[in-house]
Amino acid sequence: MRFSPARDRAKRAELGFFLLWLRRPGRVGALVPSGRALATSMAARIDVHAPGVVVELGGGTGSITEAILAAGTAPQDLVVVEHEAKLCAVLATRFPHIQVLQGDARDLKNLLEKTGIGPVKTVVSGLPLLSMDDRDCQRIVAGAFSVLPPRGEFLQFTYGPASPVSRQTRSSLGIAGRRSDWILYNLPPATVWRFHRNPAPASIRAA
Ligand SMILES: C[S@@+](CC[C@H](N)C(=O)[O-])C[C@H]1O[C@@H](n2cnc3c(N)ncnc32)[C@H](O)[C@@H]1O
């Protein structure tokens, strides 16, 4: 096996993630970072030619961040929000040219306004939405759609069979979601979901 400093850093980051999970399982949400296949699938949904920045929520040690950059997003067009200080430090070391915001994804709009970041084209989330209470989940998804353009997408993976955003939240925010990919080669297997606003009724569109 060949060793490189980047691979070595990634391995150390994975170990750090696991140790953090041991201490704060509820806050971190997963035992191990997303695998490459899942991260690549998430990143593939981003239109790299569209204008605007990509916001990643819950960057962890950067598995999805790395895939987003590999898929063609320029580092200056990627903003990662992560609430754990240690993970923010890992992200900033691994990806010195992206913007890492230490903060709570529930306050996304404020975080972006305070730092003057925007416009946003896509929000990619690695947050453990299903282990959050529905009010927090709704606040996060509403915050994401408040910064997205009309046709912008919120991408989220989940390990369970059901939508990671509840029916109640979908209907109160006027959004819909669809499964876009199922990744068997992930621990555990995961599904990628794409959420977008429901189109306005024709009567409103015509007005
Ligand atoms: C399941 S891990 C995913 C990490 C990485 N994106 C991946 O796929 O490997 C969830 C990450 O979200 C972060 N997180 C959880 N709740 C958060 C919140 N409210 N605001 C910001 N980050 C949060 C955790 O610290 C953790 O790094």
Side-chain angles (χ1 to χ4, degrees), residues 17 20-21 24-35 38-39 42 56-65 80-85 87-88 91 101-107 111 124-129 131-132 136 140 156-157 159 186:
F17 189 85
L20 199 59
W21 177 84
R24 309 185 210 207
R27 263 174 81 87
V28 174
L31 183 63
V32 287
S34 299
L38 172 56
M42 294 280 278
E56 182 191 351
L57 303 178
T61 51
S63 326
I64 296 177
T65 317
V80 182
V81 176
E82 168 57 57
H83 66 177
E84 288 290 342
L87 295 175
C88 287
L91 289 164
L101 301 182
Q102 186 186 354
D104 192 323
R106 290 174 301 184
D107 298 325
L111 284 173
V124 181
S125 166
L127 296 171
L129 286 191
S131 47
M132 294 177 176
D136 285 341
I140 287 166
Q156 173 74 48
F157 70 82
Y159 303 130
N186 192 69

Side-chain angles (χ1 to χ4, degrees), residues 4 12 15 23 42-43 49 58 72 92 98-99 104-105 144 154 177 181:
S4 70
R12 263 186 286 133
L15 178 63
R23 285 178 26 228
M42 294 280 278
H49 303 295
I98 67 167
Q99 299 197 65
D104 192 323
F154 175 79
D181 207 359

